[in-house]
Amino acid sequence: VGADGSLRLFDQRNLDHSTIVYEITPAAPLLRLAWNQDGNSNLIASAALNTEGITALDIRRPGVALSYLHTRNAAANSFCWAPPGSEYANHVMVGLEDGTTVMWDVQMLAQSSMLKASPRYAFDAGEAVQSVVWDQRSTDSIAIATGSSIQVVPI
């Protein structure tokens, strides 16, 4: 991801060549990226500066967003995919500036061709979420870090 608002895949044999997978319009720096490590490894989530929510992308369809995961007027500070082998394969968890943590089933969105959808899960941490991490051993809980605390929350 880059400051020009594009997400590119580079050919490691020749770094002069790249494929633009996605460009945000209007152009805004893309700040974060998370690759799905389980289920559908073609899925990427990305967040741009000063935008509400994240964009889910399928690298097999360059230039087209799979879904916009809208987050109720709050920027995404952190996001992560469910750990490999969990019952939540293809789910992404997002920690927001307004203190909310939400989860979407991206595979369901892809199958239904929905461009906007409501989250499957929501939790209010009470203050801005700085980081969200899915427990690798017990996939039915997540860790949420705010400016003043860390909470382990069951899903």
Side-chain angles (χ1 to χ4, degrees):
V1 294
D4 66 351
S6 68
L7 185 145
R8 299 171 185 260
L9 287 177
F10 285 88
D11 182 346
Q12 291 184 341
R13 297 167 293 188
N14 184 351
L15 294 178
D16 291 334
H17 293 94
S18 66
T19 301
I20 295 175
V21 176
Y22 180 72
E23 288 183 293
I24 191 168
T25 306
L30 295 175
L31 302 177
R32 292 174 185 80
L33 171 97
W35 205 296
N36 188 4
Q37 298 176 11
D38 191 33
N40 187 345
S41 61
N42 295 305
L43 298 178
I44 297 175
S46 179
L49 180 68
N50 298 326
T51 59
E52 299 164 356
I54 64 173
T55 303
L57 307 162
D58 186 331
I59 62 171
R60 296 170 296 186
R61 297 178 48 205
V64 179
L66 180 65
S67 182
Y68 299 102
L69 307 176
H70 187 69
T71 55
R72 306 178 314 143
N73 303 321
N77 288 337
S78 176
F79 51 93
C80 64
W81 290 93
S86 81
E87 65 184 275
Y88 297 104
N90 299 312
H91 284 67
V92 65
M93 190 73 65
V94 184
L96 305 172
E97 185 66 30
D98 70 355
T100 306
T101 299
V102 292
M103 176 178 74
W104 280 280
D105 181 349
V106 177
Q107 190 67 36
M108 184 224 32
L109 295 173
Q111 292 171 352
S112 67
S113 300
M114 295 170 55
L115 287 179
K116 290 191 177 183
S118 297
R120 178 175 172 192
Y121 169 87
F123 174 80
D124 186 6
E127 61 181 305
V129 175
Q130 301 301 316
S131 182
V132 60
V133 179
W134 217 304
D135 189 331
Q136 298 292 311
R137 293 174 291 158
S138 173
T139 59
D140 58 348
S141 61
I142 56 170
I144 300 171
T146 64
S148 62
S149 68
I150 297 174
Q151 303 174 47
V152 176
V153 180
I155 298 174

